[in-house]
Amino acid sequence: GSHVFLGPVAGPLGRSALGGRNWEGFPPDPYLTGELFTETLLSIQDGGVQACAKHYIGNEQETQRQSTQNGNGTTIESVSSNSDDLTLHELYLWPFQQAVRAGVAAVMCSYNRLNQTYGCQNSKTLNGLLKSELGFQGYVMSDWGATHSGVFAVNSGQDMDMAGTASFGPVFFHQKLTTSVNNGSVSIDRLDDMCRRVMTPYFHLHQDKGFPAIDPSNKELNALLFSSPNEYKYNYTYGTVANVDGRGDHGAAIRKQAAEGTVLLKNVNGTLPLKSPKQIAVFGNDAGDFTNGMSIFYLNGVGTYEYGVLAAGGGTGSGLFSYVVSPLEAIKQRAGFRKATLVQYVLNNTAIIEEYSPYLAAVLPSPPDVCLVFLKSWATEEKDRTTLHSDWEDNQVVERITSQYSNTIMMTHSNRINILPWANHPNITTILTAHFPRQKAGNSIINIL
């Protein structure tokens, strides 16, 4: 078992629709985010696991979130979110206030600077706002590699350095913290305060009694962050059974949540629910199964994910799928494609938009009773979006399909906001936005159709 869940997320709040990590959190309304933030962390801690509210504070973009060096070797510091006191309190601090009131165990300080000072060594936000004004009694951990100093960070309110290993840059705590205490730079009282803050949630949630051991397979999984399992330095006590299957009936809950989270933006002529169509055509590179494996953790951009349903965004929030049901797979099964219904499909966007496309011409008989078009918009940690339009020439795909077929249903999997220039096209009868539905992407769409 893991003692700490690195979530939920209220930073980014997501007031810029281009934010690469907006998909990890909640709406840009601070009050609504505060309520959802609180309910989520309470459910985590009700299960005996510590919740970590992140990323505190003003973490609103991925671009230049960490310092870089230019060609001359000059350091360019991380972006600074400059905010006046009123804006900070009424927008960005509010969800964290609600988390503190709910008893959150930990808060993760962010990569960015706030008003020119790094988030993990900002005494105003950590000591002043979080611990004093809000009365937070848990501990402040850094984001991975977000610690920029030792004594300064500790005295400014940071309690834990993560990951704390050389693989994430300079190590500022560990032995250096011992030295700082011995030379008086950090007081014994402050060290005791750090220890109390870290250990209090551990005992409060009874993690000292009968807590599940760490699955031995975690060593290989977490080694994805390193070059090999041998570099995985954490000293955990592992259980005797590896690859424990703890999924239970999670799939049913995921399907239900994904379906209930899907938003119907348009439905004319009573198109939905569908009435037993006998000829179905499925289009778009978002409709099929994964082609590059079960993880989209790697922060290497949209280029790798041209084909396959976009069930999650990229980066550390993506997770590792044990399986995914694609829209095409679910549609074929639900329609009874072996007996009752003809299901045809073209999943290559380039083939769809090709002039005089022979691939579309082969969709026969024509026109089908209904066309289902799946579009997607990639978003990931470490990179902000550059456009609010869908990816992979999706607008051209829509133009081509709607020029040939009338009863067309559009579905998007995306990071919150998209511009839909074709929304009022008369041949588009229905528009659904399904966000990032996780492993039951196809099944949840069936619930709606």
Side-chain angles (χ1 to χ4, degrees), residues 159-222:
D159 302 301
M160 178 186 289
D161 178 28
M162 293 303 292
T165 61
S167 59
F168 280 88
V171 177
F172 292 105
F173 282 32
H174 200 52
Q175 187 59 45
K176 292 181 180 179
L177 181 56
T178 302
T179 301
S180 299
V181 172
N182 288 335
N183 67 23
S185 300
V186 174
S187 69
I188 287 289
D189 286 345
R190 172 64 182 123
L191 182 65
D192 288 346
D193 176 56
M194 295 166 70
C195 293
R196 280 192 296 268
R197 288 177 176 275
V198 171
M199 296 308 299
T200 295
Y202 176 78
F203 290 110
H204 177 68
L205 295 174
H206 307 293
Q207 294 182 330
D208 58 319
K209 298 175 182 178
F211 199 80
I214 302 296
D215 190 318
S217 66
N218 278 9
K219 185 173 183 179
E220 282 68 37
L221 287 173
N222 282 281

Side-chain angles (χ1 to χ4, degrees), residues 311-391:
T316 51
S318 66
L320 178 63
F321 289 98
S322 60
Y323 68 89
V324 168
V325 179
S326 71
L328 178 59
E329 178 183 355
I331 290 164
K332 289 166 70 176
Q333 294 298 331
R334 179 66 178 86
F337 71 103
R338 288 188 176 92
K339 295 180 179 180
T341 303
L342 179 64
V343 179
Q344 300 183 86
Y345 42 93
V346 182
L347 307 186
N348 186 329
N349 283 8
T350 303
I352 293 172
I353 65 177
E354 180 180 324
E355 188 173 8
Y356 308 115
S357 171
Y359 311 101
L360 290 186
V363 178
L364 297 170
S366 185
D369 296 332
V370 62
C371 296
L372 308 176
V373 181
F374 289 85
L375 316 174
K376 60 184 175 182
S377 298
W378 171 249
T380 183
E381 182 178 357
E382 283 198 350
K383 188 175 183 180
D384 293 312
R385 298 168 70 188
T386 59
T387 177
L388 297 182
H389 289 277
S390 298
D391 299 321

Side-chain angles (χ1 to χ4, degrees), residues 2-15:
S2 297
H3 293 86
V4 185
F5 179 91
L6 298 179
V9 172
L13 186 63
R15 296 179 69 231

Side-chain angles (χ1 to χ4, degrees), residues 4-11 26 37-38 41 44-45 50-57 93 95-100 103-110 130 136 139-143:
V4 185
F5 179 91
L6 298 179
V9 172
F26 300 104
F37 198 47
T38 299
L41 72 88
I44 294 167
Q45 297 194 167
Q50 298 179 38
C52 177
K54 65 181 189 180
H55 306 84
Y56 183 82
I57 186 171
L93 187 63
F96 290 96
Q97 170 187 277
Q98 298 301 85
V100 171
V104 69
V107 169
M108 182 184 290
C109 52
S110 54
L130 183 63
F136 176 56
Y139 60 98
V140 175
M141 73 162 72
S142 72
D143 204 336

